Amino acid sequence: MTSSYRCALIGLAAITLLLTGCSRGSDISGGATLALEAGCVACHGLNGRGTAPTFPNINGQHASYMYEQMKRYRSGERVNVIMNEQVKLLSNAELDLLARYYAAQ
Ligand code: HEC
């Protein structure tokens, strides 16, 4: 009785660890809302497809690549008058969420 109870507890703990471990870094809920609020959708759409030929498709692009590019736009290392403005006020966490959101589209 005691050992099966302990077993169940350990099992529960393992499942909890597994669930929290998997959701961290891959949870993109809130990404669409942020893309709307930050205005990304005007040019990249909600689905990451450029709304005009001058706006790149970013759906399915690697999240790590997009995250780095947005940080480069923010620091001014990568120069583009549009994108430099777009990411100016966004935090690392917000850039990370947007990158993972568009990567998953
Ligand atoms: C007014 C239009 C516009 C808006 C709004 C906009 N972008 Fe962009 N985005 C562009 C253009 C144009 C480029 C290409 C810039 C260049 O040549 O470096 C670009 C480039 C990018 C890139 C790099 C793509 C690559 O292949 O290197 C990413 C990532 C990106 N945008 C994400 C976003 C996100 C996230 C937002 C919202 C915070 C956003 N953009 C808002 C027009 C826009």
Side-chain angles (χ1 to χ4, degrees):
M1 184 65 173
T2 323
S3 83
S4 70
Y5 176 70
R6 194 177 299 146
C7 229
L9 264 187
I10 291 170
L12 212 68
I15 288 168
T16 311
L17 269 178
L18 208 72
L19 288 177
T20 50
C22 286
S23 64
R24 185 175 309 128
S26 61
D27 182 12
I28 54 163
S29 62
T33 309
L34 182 55
L36 280 164
E37 283 172 1
C40 319
V41 296
C43 305
H44 300 291
L46 252 187
N47 57 6
R49 308 267 307 166
T51 55
T54 44
F55 305 141
N57 296 332
I58 55 172
N59 55 312
Q61 181 56 274
H62 297 293
S64 55
Y65 168 82
M66 288 195 280
Y67 179 64
E68 282 310 313
Q69 296 314 305
M70 289 191 284
K71 285 210 304 196
R72 292 177 69 217
Y73 283 129
R74 194 180 56 189
S75 73
E77 184 191 340
R78 181 170 169 178
V79 179
N80 176 265
V81 283
I82 297 175
M83 281 307 298
N84 291 145
E85 279 301 309
Q86 293 307 311
V87 294
K88 205 166 65 181
L89 301 175
L90 297 176
S91 68
N92 286 354
E94 287 170 322
L95 296 186
D96 179 57
L97 176 58
L98 287 167
R100 286 186 291 106
Y101 168 74
Y102 277 117
Q105 302 310 301

